[in-house]
Amino acid sequence: MTAVRFVAIGDSFTEGVGDELPDGRVRGWADIAAQGWADAVGHPIQYANFAVRGKLAWPIVEEQLEPALALGPTHLSFNGGGNDMLRPRTDVEHIADTFSRVLRRCDEQGVALILLSGANPAGQLPMGSLIQRRGDELSAAVLRRIAERHDVIRALNWPDRELSSGAYWSDDRLHMNANGHHRVAARVLHALGFEPPAEWWSPAERTAGPSGLAYYRQHVGPWVKRRITRTSSGDGRAAKHPTWVERIPQ
């Protein structure tokens, strides 16, 4: 029996924002995939998650990577850059360099890298064309850096047109809902060589979120305020699983 120790680093995408449980905690694709992984192998696995919402790509690497590696994982997942793409000035090549840094450190520690691209919200957001262009450029830049690395486990969500549709997104249109997080978890398990539950790929019904002025008042306005005040939704937040938790097959 091969021990699995899976640690995730990243921002709100990996923390699980948008997939809120009844008690207010967020779940997300990494939590779902960790449980699905344990179910697939038929024995417990160890799981940790250092992701914090609102983080830019380089702060993710500078603050989360070394503590994650210090746990001695067998697998580490990384995604970043979504928040960078929303900033007025963005250096795509500099963001993509974070993926090279993470891969180098994983190589040095003998850790398998699970590389994810984020889901694409561009079709439903203000400034969608700018986000689409930057996301396409970032995806291409990252793929160039791992072109010869067939050992990197790839769970690429940006090209998934189905995942871009409204059924997979929360009311803020920026974070995936439970449907989206399950679809990403399915892709991760598939990349690992397992067959996820078929229902994870398809969306459950959801009610429509706010539109028009209500949407801007509830979601865009607070985001703009944070940019003006130079604050982040992740300020003061700690990682939800900074030490190993056990996932037992169900």
Side-chain angles (χ1 to χ4, degrees), residues 33-248:
Q35 184 61 58
W37 199 341
D39 295 343
V41 297
H43 59 76
I45 74 165
Q46 301 300 310
Y47 165 59
N49 190 327
F50 284 84
V52 175
R53 66 193 68 181
K55 292 292 183 181
L56 300 176
W58 274 105
I60 291 171
V61 173
E62 291 163 353
E63 298 168 13
Q64 299 175 23
L65 178 59
E66 294 307 322
L69 290 173
L71 293 179
T74 58
H75 297 75
L76 180 143
S77 72
F78 172 57
N79 169 265
N83 292 303
D84 300 74
M85 290 195 300
L86 299 174
R87 298 301 192 270
R89 289 178 293 276
T90 298
D91 184 339
V92 169
E93 294 297 328
H94 185 57
I95 299 170
D97 286 342
T98 61
F99 291 82
S100 297
R101 169 77 68 83
V102 172
L103 178 57
R104 176 174 62 81
R105 289 294 293 124
C106 284
D107 285 346
E108 291 170 351
Q109 297 295 315
V111 177
L113 175 61
I114 304 171
L115 186 146
L116 294 93
S117 60
N120 183 356
Q124 53 202 353
L125 285 178
M127 302 186 300
S129 60
L130 175 63
I131 295 169
Q132 180 73 55
R133 176 174 58 79
R134 286 179 172 176
D136 290 344
E137 291 173 355
L138 179 59
S139 292
V142 171
L143 289 176
R144 285 198 302 273
R145 284 160 170 77
I146 63 168
E148 304 302 321
R149 292 298 304 270
H150 304 295
D151 56 325
V152 172
I153 301 164
R154 308 179 188 198
L156 304 180
N157 300 287
W158 186 261
D160 184 353
R161 297 176 67 106
E162 168 68 15
L163 186 55
S164 297
S165 65
Y168 296 93
W169 295 85
S170 63
D171 288 353
D172 68 5
R173 308 180 193 175
L174 186 62
H175 298 99
M176 298 179 301
N177 59 22
N179 293 333
H181 281 283
H182 275 85
R183 188 172 175 90
V184 171
R187 178 163 286 114
V188 170
L189 286 184
H190 184 74
L192 289 165
F194 304 114
E195 190 60 40
E199 62 269 20
W200 288 13
W201 291 106
S202 302
E205 291 186 13
R206 67 176 295 268
T207 57
S211 60
L213 290 177
Y215 168 72
Y216 280 84
R217 183 170 55 252
Q218 293 178 38
H219 299 293
V220 178
W223 182 87
V224 171
K225 182 179 179 180
R226 289 196 297 273
R227 299 289 73 74
I228 293 173
T229 59
R230 297 182 180 274
T231 58
S232 168
S233 57
D235 287 348
R237 288 187 173 272
K240 64 179 179 180
H241 297 312
T243 58
W244 293 125
V245 294
E246 190 171 62
R247 290 290 183 255
I248 300 171

